[in-house]
Amino acid sequence: MSFVKNNWKGMLLCLVISIPCWMLGKLFPIVGGPVFAILCGMIITLFLRDKSSLQSGIAFVSKKILQYAVILLGFGMNLSVVLQTGKQSLPIILSTITISLVIAWVLHKALRIPGKISTLVGVGSSICGGSAIAATAPVIDADDEEVAQSISVIFFFNMLAALLFPMLGTVLGFSQTSGDAFGIFAGTAVNDTSSVTAAASTWDSMYNLGSATLDKAVTVKLTRTLAIIPITLVLAFFRTRKEKTGGSKVDFKKIFPMFILYFILASVITTVAVNFGVSADVFNPLKTLSKFFIVLAMSAIGLNTNIVKLVKTGGKPLLLGFSCWVGITGVSLLMQHMLGLW
């Protein structure tokens, strides 16, 4: 009862914000519900003089609901399909993830960009945008403003990719009779699933390919999503080492991302069930709930974010996001050419 009493006001406010933002995300998928939710939260918080009665509920949504969203994301992962059809793109995926993380680390050092923002932008750019940021933020103990900044950067380059990549694919001479080449490119070089879907669907409609490109791109993207597991575990390990050398004792078990284990368990349940003949459609409500939880959490993060400060400090993170984006795009194209896929 005390949990409800302390948290219901903040949770209700997040819910009120997230429902229309969810619907807007459906109408404008190139932007997406999470971005609408962050923006609405940042605007609404400017008019809230006293958030003390709301704060505990907002904090619960921004932290715990975000983790629940990642767990439910696992129900969209059929590991058999992902590993079988995604292995063709695995060298490209590993190369793009590596270049993004290296660029993020180099610019973090060279431009003195805060480490947590560099990590979130690097991981978000290379793996799966908002979902990767949602999984990584609790592990590195990033605050809501750092999450909001990173999501904003990822969103900007998502939009550019969704709009520009179909034209780029045409200029580069990707096959217009098969969706494989552009599907692999979109699945490895575009950050967020919504933008991957937008770019691949555009290519399908441009060249009357049905859903061939979209199917390929989404499968490749799901393979990328699996990288959430090793990345979060490695970050948890490094955080433990760093804080120990800093003089404070940190128990790895306490910061171990348990929700990632539940994410893996959800993926295994889905895989086993589908292999035993259960329709994958059974898990669609949980996948939808996962996406809604991300929108819900982003509304809370927006409520905890100072939009003025965000704009003032946005230059370097944008440069970082641009550098990661260009690096990933270039490496994806190079690897595809080297492997004879384009």
Side-chain angles (χ1 to χ4, degrees):
M1 288 298 292
S2 61
F3 169 81
V4 175
K5 183 179 178 181
N6 293 333
N7 295 330
W8 75 270
K9 290 182 180 178
M11 293 173 68
L12 181 60
L13 176 60
C14 294
L15 186 63
V16 168
I17 294 171
S18 60
I19 290 174
C21 291
W22 168 263
M23 297 169 77
L24 283 170
K26 292 287 188 183
L27 290 172
F28 304 99
I30 195 172
V31 177
V35 174
F36 282 120
I38 280 186
L39 291 174
C40 287
M42 287 191 295
I43 293 168
I44 288 171
T45 201
L46 294 173
F47 300 96
L48 296 176
R49 293 183 179 179
D50 182 12
K51 289 195 297 184
S52 56
S53 63
L54 304 168
Q55 197 56 53
S56 61
I58 293 172
F60 175 81
V61 173
S62 72
K63 302 296 181 185
K64 291 297 182 181
I65 296 297
L66 200 55
Q67 294 181 20
Y68 299 156
V70 175
I71 294 169
L72 291 173
L73 186 68
F75 288 105
M77 305 285 292
N78 183 338
L79 299 178
S80 299
V81 173
V82 169
L83 295 177
Q84 182 181 356
T85 58
K87 60 186 178 183
Q88 178 190 32
S89 59
L90 189 59
I92 305 173
I93 292 169
L94 293 176
S95 300
T96 53
I97 290 174
T98 300
I99 193 66
S100 179
L101 295 178
V102 168
I103 289 171
W105 182 80
V106 169
L107 291 185
H108 155 62
K109 294 290 186 182
L111 301 178
R112 297 182 180 179
I113 299 170
K116 292 177 183 178
I117 289 179
S118 298
T119 301
L120 292 176
V121 172
V123 169
S125 298
S126 61
I127 300 176
C128 54
S131 300
I133 290 173
T136 305
V139 177
I140 64 174
D141 197 28
D143 63 34
D144 286 345
E145 288 194 352
E146 289 165 330
V147 172
Q149 185 116 56
S150 305
I151 289 281
S152 301
V153 168
I154 295 297
F155 152 71
F156 180 70
F157 293 106
N158 275 342
M159 282 227 318
L160 286 182
L163 293 171
L164 298 179
F165 277 15
M167 290 183 283
L168 178 62
T170 301
V171 171
L172 293 174
F174 279 129
S175 171
Q176 297 172 7
T177 57
S178 165
D180 282 2
F182 188 82
I184 292 173
F185 176 53
T188 54
V190 184
N191 303 337
D192 199 71
T193 304
S194 59
S195 296
V196 170
T197 302
S201 298
T202 300
W203 188 265
D204 277 331
S205 62
M206 284 169 64
Y207 299 109
N208 299 312
L209 296 175
S211 64
T213 311
L214 179 60
D215 293 343
K216 188 72 174 183
V218 169
T219 302
V220 172
K221 187 68 177 62
L222 289 176
T223 309
R224 275 173 76 189
T225 303
L226 286 177
I228 285 176
I229 299 166
I231 288 289
T232 50
L233 296 180
V234 168
L235 288 172
F237 174 74
F238 276 109
R239 182 184 163 198
T240 307
R241 285 190 60 189
K242 183 179 179 182
E243 296 194 13
K244 276 185 177 179
T245 55
S248 57
K249 291 185 178 180
V250 178
D251 186 355
F252 180 73
K253 292 180 181 178
K254 289 184 178 179
I255 63 170
F256 182 83
M258 288 299 297
F259 65 95
I260 292 297
L261 288 185
Y262 298 132
F263 166 80
I264 297 171
L265 179 60
S267 304
V268 170
I269 289 171
T270 302
T271 304
V272 172
V274 171
N275 286 345
F276 274 96
V278 177
S279 173
D281 294 342
V282 169
F283 298 102
N284 283 344
L286 294 175
K287 290 158 59 178
T288 302
L289 185 60
S290 167
K291 294 175 183 177
F292 180 73
F293 273 6
I294 289 179
V295 175
L296 188 60
M298 291 306 131
S299 68
I301 286 169
L303 288 167
N304 277 339
T305 301
N306 184 328
I307 192 170
V308 176
K309 182 180 176 183
L310 190 69
V311 172
K312 285 182 178 178
T313 59
K316 289 182 179 180
L318 265 177
L319 177 59
L320 171 61
F322 174 74
S323 301
C324 290
W325 185 55
V326 170
I328 289 170
T329 302
V331 167
S332 175
L333 291 171
L334 177 63
M335 288 296 294
Q336 236 179 308
H337 186 68
M338 290 173 61
L339 293 171
L341 301 173
W342 160 45

